[in-house]
Structure formats: structure tokens, C-alpha cells
């Protein structure tokens, strides 16, 4: 159980799922903010600073880059891409590394965009030669990749994809689903020539859930401005939100729909913490702790869903259970030890694996001991469940 | 300034705009909840209870009624109606009492639905004979009404609209925008035969902003189930959310997109308070305090935007300023006195009026003195600004 501090959170099981994640005490406190006008100077300042900090988090200095922060789940970011950046009749190539590519493809189809998925076997990712073949076979308006698929823990390689696009299809927009990567995996928006990176507040950024965060390049915004048809969403329309985001970033009031003022304060609080140290240190620390987890998992004789080391995410680990054990058995045992892991999400293998999220404060603040305690709980839990099952058989 | 209590909020100006509104201390505290799994038993219980409490708030006992609570602004509720309950080619009649009808109509058009607006002069509402004429002139799939238009403070009469529909167009769905009414105006979902009522968390319900709340009748859900085309939104699709809401209400885990766990706790906290007393008392108290505000406004010689007493909302008052005074002058003066009012929103008259929100804890807890202090501040502020202008001229 987490320790109760004078100003801290009540004791509770350590949340080590791939999002939402444990929150820093100050971040938790920042949520209980008194009510404020969404168009008053204090909130405009807070929101403006938050949008500017997002540019730093995404490592973009181009003045053409455009951040959006909208009340919603990360999923809303897909609608914002599908309804604004591409348009009906466009074709997109969706790289599939798990559950979330299927859903993104569904989202595109909802808005009349033809999505072609390039699927790899479970735990792997599509390889460059086949991606090149697809990209040269027809004109794709956009390529999408899930940087880390939360259902499998498979990490995709943005650098090689960016280079491939530059070489064989430079007009194709590069769209990155960074829901489980922004804040824990290296991601340099400008250097990687990313056109849209979307994420959510409740993962490695370390905020509460409830904010959809999207960063667009100048080229993505140009694609939006050059649309022949109006955006396919009202709530997610850039026509409605672009002036609002630009005004807030200039610390000026404007209104389309009421932003979630408390959650914006929370995002401000966590971004202030995240950016107080070089991002490279943050990524290194996530790598280091991920290696620790992955070594412990291997020592327990468990295989990762992401089968090759170069495919393995640094903010989570998806692991197959030993033959005969089910996710509910081990998850229940872990909860009794004060640790919350997640069950499987990828339909083909859901009953065979569990997921361990190691992002944010649990990784950055080693003094909390969250990761060590979770590894120990996993070791003990597996042994206990196996023993109990052995006794019964 | 609000008083600081031992367990309370820091001193801050009293927020008396028509949403977001002042929050109760316990409600503010409920926001700073530690991170929780969105599919764990504790959160499933909280969300399930919250959905059940919403049935009580809307006064619906029909098991066919279906609540939705989704991360988003109130505006998202329009998308949910336009993308699920009606479909491309349908015609809807939009009763216009201010800014928000124009926006709702825009939203319908985004999803391929033809919206015909019936407009009244500013401060008034369309009258029954002309609505009857419109409804009998062609087949409308739905009629929409803004119960209280936040831009004008005009209150529409649901009972007479419901009766009119039953008499002349019983198959037309009755859709109520209750963003500025649910929690402060009488609204009996079943008795009024409402098919969809949408609202937002940050107004009379007394929660933080960030949740879109929608209640659908069995008939609205039937209309959704009988669609010939798939829903026009992905994030707002009932196909995606219906099983999730049904599972959460049954306190079972399921996943489409991560709900904002802390905000759901906050909604749970405020609904528990709201429902601890008969709703009739709550509506009576809002009427009583509204009358107090309206009398003070009249005593100051100010006219309301909602010109006729029967058109005046009970949770807010929109008032024209004396000739020669501008909203920024008076709003700045009020902020100095620790009271935040809102400027105008209706484009035709925006520079001539201000808005005073009187909903939720500021009205229910008279001991706070928020309303009296605001009335006094308005009186003094007007006098000061007029004196200053007089001195200069």
C-alpha cells in the first residue's frame, strides 16, 4: 500500500496498469481547485501556459505546430484526426500492432475514410519492406502508427518510419498515436517530421483522465485548411477549436465549449513537474526501470507478448501467464498485495496474459518503491496461485 | 470573497456566472481522488451508482431510459443526439431562444440533418401557434428546445410543448437541451415525455466541468437501434458507449475509452448532495432566490433580456446595462468586489448586457451569502462606474 503522507493521498493499492497511472501528491491536490470562469484572466493564463508547455513536451519549436487540449478521452483524438486532417475519399494506411489499430481504423471508416490495415502477428510489428511495398502500391493520404500499443506493449520505431516516408512517399502525412508513449518514450515531433501526434492525459504525462491532447504540424493544419468538405465532427471540429486554442495560448478569452478547468490545472501541474528536468533523463529512467521489470519477468520464466527486445515498450510490459493460470486468479492475488495490474485486451490472447504499467511517478520517484513492490508481489502472487492450484489438483 | 474554512477552499472571488458555478467544499475535495483503475470494482461501483442517481435527478423510472456520462463538454451531447438519434436526411425543428439554438443547428448540419430554426425576437421565445403551424407543415423527426438559453436567460415551457407534440405530431422526438436547467428548473423526464435531455456537469448539478450527460427515452433508443446508417461519430457513438454504460450501471467492468475517474467521483459527490433533499425543494429555492435577484435588478432600473416574467429562467438573470455603460467596465468593478459575472454571448446584443448565474450551492446554502453579496456588489459597482464616467464627462 502507498504510504500516507501528511499532505498526501490516503492509502490505496498502487495503480500499475498501462494508464491511468499513480499520481504525484501535488498533482492530486491540484485537481481540487475552486470553480473559475473559463474566460477569466486567471484561467486563460493557466491554459495558455499549459499549451505552451505541451510544445516543449512534444519537442516542437515550429511556430506552425498547433496543440489542442479538449475535454474527452484519448479516443477523441482519433475523431479529431479522421474528421479534420483527412477527408472522405482519402485512403490511410494503418500499421497494426494490437487492439488500438483496429479501433483507429473503425474511427476512420466512420468518417468515410478508407483504412487499410497492415497487420503483423500478435506481439510483432509490420516490417519496413512490406510497409514500403504498401506505400508505393497506391497513394495514401496518411500513415498511422501506434507508438506503443497498450494491448500488447509493442513499441514501433518512429525514426525508420519517418525515413521511409521521406524516401518513398513524402506527401503522406505521418500520424502517431502516442497515447501510451508521450511522456515515457523518446518522441521528437519536429525531428521525426510527425504531422499529428495524439495522446491522453492519464498515461505517462501523469494527469487524471479526461483530456484529449493533439499536436498538429503546419502540414497537418494545411491539410485541414485545404479540405474540400467541412469537418465530419462538430464537437471535434478544428473550425470550432482552432481559434479557441490560439486565443487561449495568447492568454485571451474565447468560447466554443466550456473546458474542464480543474483538469487543465492538473495538466499544468504535471507538465510543470515533467519539464523541470531534461526530457532525456525522463526517457532514460523509464528505460532503466523497464529493463528491471523485463529482467524480473524473464527470471520468473514468463514470456512477453512483445516477443523481440527491439519491439518492447519502456512504459509497460505485457506478459503471458504460465500455462494453467488465468488473469483473474493472478490479478486478484496482486490486489490483495496492494498492487493493481491489468488484464489482457487483445482479443486473440486476452485470457492468456496480463499487463504491468510502469510510467510516470512510480518510475521517476524510485523512493516510492512502487516498481520493486510490484515485482515482489508478482513473484509471490504467481507462487501462491500455483501452489493453491497444485494443492487442489 | 468566500470565507476560508478549515477544510475548505482558499479565498477566491464568488463565481456567479451561468456555469461553471461555485462548488461545495466536499465536492471540491472529492476531485482530488487517487488514481484508480477504470475497470476495477471500486470505480465500477462508483460509476454504477452515479448512473442510477442520474435517473433520479431526471425523474425517470422507466427501465427503458438510458443515461450516458462521457468525458466531454456539454456540447458533445449535441453530437450524440445528431449522430445517433436522428440520421442523415431527417429534418429537425429547432426552437431558437438564443445563441445555443444556432450552434445546435450547426451541429445537426454537420451530421447531414436538415435543421429548420424557428426564431423569436431577442429575449422572447417562439409561440405555440407558429410551432404548431411548423409541425403540421411537414414531418419533423425531432423538435429541439433549449430549456434555458444561457445567452439570454430565456426559459422555455416544456409542458405546453410536450402537449402540443402529443396532439399534433406524436411521432416527433422531443429533445431538450437542459445544459442550464437540469438541477435548477423543474424537469420531469417521464411526465414530460422527453426523448432526449442533454446537460453538462458544471451548471446547476454543481460538479466541475468535463462531463457530458445525456438521458435517452426508450423511444430515442429505438430510433437509434432502427437507424439505416451507422452513427456519424466514433467517440460519440451509442454503438460504442451503450454496452459500456449498461455494464457500468450493473457495476461490471468494460472498456471503450477511459472515463475520467476523478470527475465521475465528483459527479457522484454532488448528486449524493442534490438527492439528499426532495428535488421540489431545490426547484423552489432556486425560484425564491431568482425572484430576489430579479427584484433587485428591477429596483436598479435594469431591464432583463428575457422581457416577460413567464420567460425568465430561475438559475440566471441576463440584464441590459444602463445606457453608456459597457460590460467590461462593470465586470471589472465587480471582480474588485470579489464577484465574477459573465459578459454577453448573444451576438446581436453582446455589448449591451451582462449575466448573473444563481444556481447550485450559492442558492441552496444561503449562509454563504453569495447572492446577497453579489446584489450589493452590483448596486455599488453600477453606482461607482456611473460616478466615474460622470466625473470624466
Amino acid at each position: 500500500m502507498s504510504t500516507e503522507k501528511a499532505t498526501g493521498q490516503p492509502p490505496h493499492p498502487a495503480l500499475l496498469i498501462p494508464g491511468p497511472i499513480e499520481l504525484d501528491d501535488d498533482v492530486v491536490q491540484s485537481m481540487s481547485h475552486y470553480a473559475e470562469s473559463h474566460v477569466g484572466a486567471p484561467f486563460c493564463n493557466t491554459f495558455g501556459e499549459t499549451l505552451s508547455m505541451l510544445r516543449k513536451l512534444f519537442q516542437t519549436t515550429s511556430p506552425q505546430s498547433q496543440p489542442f487540449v479538449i475535454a474527452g478521452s484519448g479516443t477523441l483524438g482519433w475523431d479529431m484526426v479522421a474528421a479534420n486532417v483527412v477527408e472522405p475519399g482519402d485512403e490511410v494506411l494503418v500499421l497494426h500492432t494490437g487492439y488500438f489499430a483496429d479501433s483507429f481504423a473503425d474511427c476512420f471508416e466512420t468518417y468515410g475514410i478508407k483504412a487499410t490495415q497492415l497487420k503483423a502477428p500478435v506481439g510483432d510489428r509490420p516490417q519496413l519492406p512490406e510497409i514500403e511495398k504498401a506505400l508505393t502500391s497506391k497513394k495514401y493520404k496518411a500513415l498511422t502508427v501506434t507508438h506503443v500499443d497498450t494491448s500488447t506493449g509493442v513499441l514501433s520505431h518512429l525514426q525508420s518510419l519517418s525515413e521511409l516516408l521521406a524516401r518513398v512517399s513524402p506527401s503522406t502525412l505521418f500520424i502517431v498515436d502516442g497515447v501510451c508513449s508521450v511522456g515515457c518514450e523518446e518522441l521528437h515531433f519536429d525531428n521525426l517530421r510527425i504531422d499529428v501526434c495524439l495522446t491522453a492525459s492519464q498515461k505517462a504525462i501523469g494527469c487524471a483522465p479526461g483530456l484529449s491532447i493533439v499536436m498538429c504540424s503546419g502540414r497537418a493544419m494545411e491539410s485541414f485548411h485545404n479540405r474540400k468538405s467541412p469537418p465530419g465532427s462538430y464537437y471535434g471540429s478544428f473550425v470550432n477549436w482552432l481559434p479557441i486554442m490560439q486565443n487561449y495560448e495568447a492568454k485571451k478569452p474565447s468560447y466554443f465549449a466550456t473546458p474542464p478547468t480543474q483538469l487543465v490545472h492538473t495538466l499544468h501541474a504535471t507538465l510543470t513537474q515533467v519539464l523541470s528536468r531534461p526530457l532525456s533523463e525522463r526517457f532514460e529512467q523509464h528505460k532503466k526501470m523497464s529493463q528491471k521489470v523485463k529482467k524480473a519477468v524473464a527470471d520468473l520464466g514468463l514470456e512477453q507478448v512483445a516477443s523481440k527486445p527491439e519491439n518492447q515498450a519502456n512504459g509497460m510490459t505485457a506478459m503471458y501467464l504460465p500455462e494453467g493460470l488465468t488473469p483473474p486468479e493472478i490479478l486478484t492475488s496482486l490486489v490483495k498485495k496492494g498492487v493493481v495490474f491489468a488484464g489482457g485486451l487483445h482479443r486473440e490472447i486476452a485470457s492468456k496474459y496480463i499487463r504491468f504499467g510502469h510510467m510516470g511517478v512510480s518510475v521517476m520517484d524510485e523512493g516510492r518503491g512502487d516498481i520493486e513492490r510490484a515485482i515482489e508481489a508478482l513473484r509471490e502472487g504467481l507462487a501462491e496461485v500455483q501452489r493453491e492450484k497444485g494443492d487442489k489438483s
Side-chain angles (χ1 to χ4, degrees), chain A residues 13-238:
Chain A
L15 187 61
L16 295 164
I17 66 177
I21 66 167
E22 279 294 309
L23 302 178
D24 176 88
D25 287 344
D26 292 342
V27 173
V28 169
Q29 276 311 309
S30 72
M31 273 188 287
S32 60
H33 198 283
Y34 56 82
E36 261 183 322
S37 168
H38 51 301
V39 290
F43 179 69
C44 290
N45 286 335
T46 301
F47 205 169
E49 288 174 9
T50 304
L51 290 164
S52 299
M53 283 195 281
L54 281 175
R55 293 181 187 270
K56 291 186 185 147
L57 178 73
F58 283 85
Q59 305 192 67
T60 176
T61 55
S62 165
Q64 272 74 47
S65 296
Q66 180 59 53
F68 294 85
V69 174
I70 318 279
S73 305
T75 299
L76 177 63
W78 295 340
D79 288 66
M80 290 175 75
V81 169
N84 293 286
V85 179
V86 291
E87 59 184 318
D90 283 343
E91 300 225 15
V92 299
L93 183 64
V94 174
L95 303 185
H96 182 287
T97 51
Y99 175 94
F100 290 92
D102 290 324
S103 308
F104 202 176
D106 280 354
C107 179
F108 279 120
E109 299 285 344
T110 299
Y111 292 98
I113 288 101
K114 186 161 188 303
T116 303
Q117 289 202 57
L118 210 54
K119 296 200 180 194
V122 174
D124 208 344
R125 57 185 161 85
Q127 301 299 304
L128 289 175
E130 51 180 333
I131 303 170
E132 175 166 353
K133 196 173 153 204
L135 285 172
T136 49
S137 71
K138 70 164 75 161
K139 163 87 186 140
Y140 285 105
K141 177 65 184 278
L143 170 78
T144 80
V145 61
T146 317
H147 195 185
V148 170
D149 195 293
T150 318
S151 74
T152 55
V154 169
L155 173 74
S156 290
H157 290 204
L158 302 186
Q159 182 66 42
S160 54
L161 287 172
S162 175
E163 285 164 11
L164 176 64
L165 279 174
R167 186 163 58 79
V168 306
S169 191
S171 67
T172 297
L173 296 170
F174 187 26
I175 295 173
V176 176
D177 178 338
V179 167
C180 197
S181 79
V182 172
C184 66
E185 301 284 355
E186 280 181 45
L187 187 146
H188 197 298
F189 190 85
D190 287 353
N191 288 359
L192 289 166
R193 292 183 296 269
I194 296 171
D195 290 300
V196 185
C197 183
L198 58 99
T199 190
S201 48
Q202 79 277 9
K203 305 224 176 194
I205 295 175
C207 178
L211 294 172
S212 167
I213 299 168
V214 177
M215 183 67 75
C216 288
S217 70
R219 204 163 71 135
M221 295 311 294
E222 219 171 279
S223 175
F224 157 69
H225 287 300
N226 292 338
R227 291 180 69 86
K228 291 179 291 290
S229 55
S233 167
Y234 183 76
Y235 180 62
S237 164
F238 284 0

Side-chain angles (χ1 to χ4, degrees), chain A residues 92 122 138 174 251 258 266 279 284 319 332 341 365-366:
Chain A
V92 299
V122 174
K138 70 164 75 161
F174 187 26
K251 302 180 179 176
T258 307
T266 311
L279 284 170
E284 272 314 307
M319 63 196 93
T332 306
F341 278 17
D365 180 358
E366 288 192 57

Side-chain angles (χ1 to χ4, degrees), chain A residues 206-382:
Chain A
C207 178
L211 294 172
S212 167
I213 299 168
V214 177
M215 183 67 75
C216 288
S217 70
R219 204 163 71 135
M221 295 311 294
E222 219 171 279
S223 175
F224 157 69
H225 287 300
N226 292 338
R227 291 180 69 86
K228 291 179 291 290
S229 55
S233 167
Y234 183 76
Y235 180 62
S237 164
F238 284 0
V239 173
N240 293 325
W241 283 116
L242 178 60
I244 308 300
M245 292 298 130
Q246 290 176 334
N247 280 329
Y248 271 125
E249 197 167 357
K251 302 180 179 176
K252 291 190 295 195
S254 62
Y255 174 72
F256 164 62
T258 307
T261 52
Q262 284 86 355
L263 287 182
V264 171
H265 272 282
T266 311
L267 181 58
H268 187 279
T270 190
L271 288 176
T272 303
Q273 288 189 353
V274 167
L275 295 170
S276 69
R277 289 167 60 178
L279 284 170
S280 56
E281 277 182 25
R282 186 173 181 86
F283 302 143
E284 272 314 307
Q285 179 67 12
H286 277 83
K287 273 189 197 156
K288 181 186 119 182
M289 296 300 270
S290 180
Q291 285 310 311
K292 191 171 197 165
V293 170
K294 286 166 173 64
K295 180 174 181 307
V297 164
D299 289 348
L300 286 166
L302 304 182
E303 278 184 29
Q304 290 184 52
V305 174
S307 45
K308 304 171 187 163
E310 69 270 23
N311 288 358
Q312 293 166 356
N314 293 299
M316 65 170 288
T317 304
M319 63 196 93
Y320 286 110
L321 293 174
E323 194 73 33
L325 292 200
T326 68
E329 290 168 338
I330 184 72
L331 296 177
T332 306
S333 165
L334 287 170
V335 166
K336 286 185 193 147
K337 298 175 194 306
V339 172
V340 181
F341 278 17
L345 191 57
H346 194 300
R347 292 183 187 97
E348 289 178 41
I349 54 169
S351 64
K352 298 181 181 169
Y353 79 111
I354 58 173
R355 296 173 297 148
F356 177 178
H358 30 85
M359 292 178 248
V361 71
S362 293
V363 159
M364 296 307 292
D365 180 358
E366 288 192 57
R368 293 171 62 113
D370 288 350
I371 305 302
E372 283 69 18
R373 217 164 45 248
I375 289 172
E376 193 48 37
L378 179 63
R379 198 187 328 268
E380 288 172 12
L382 282 170

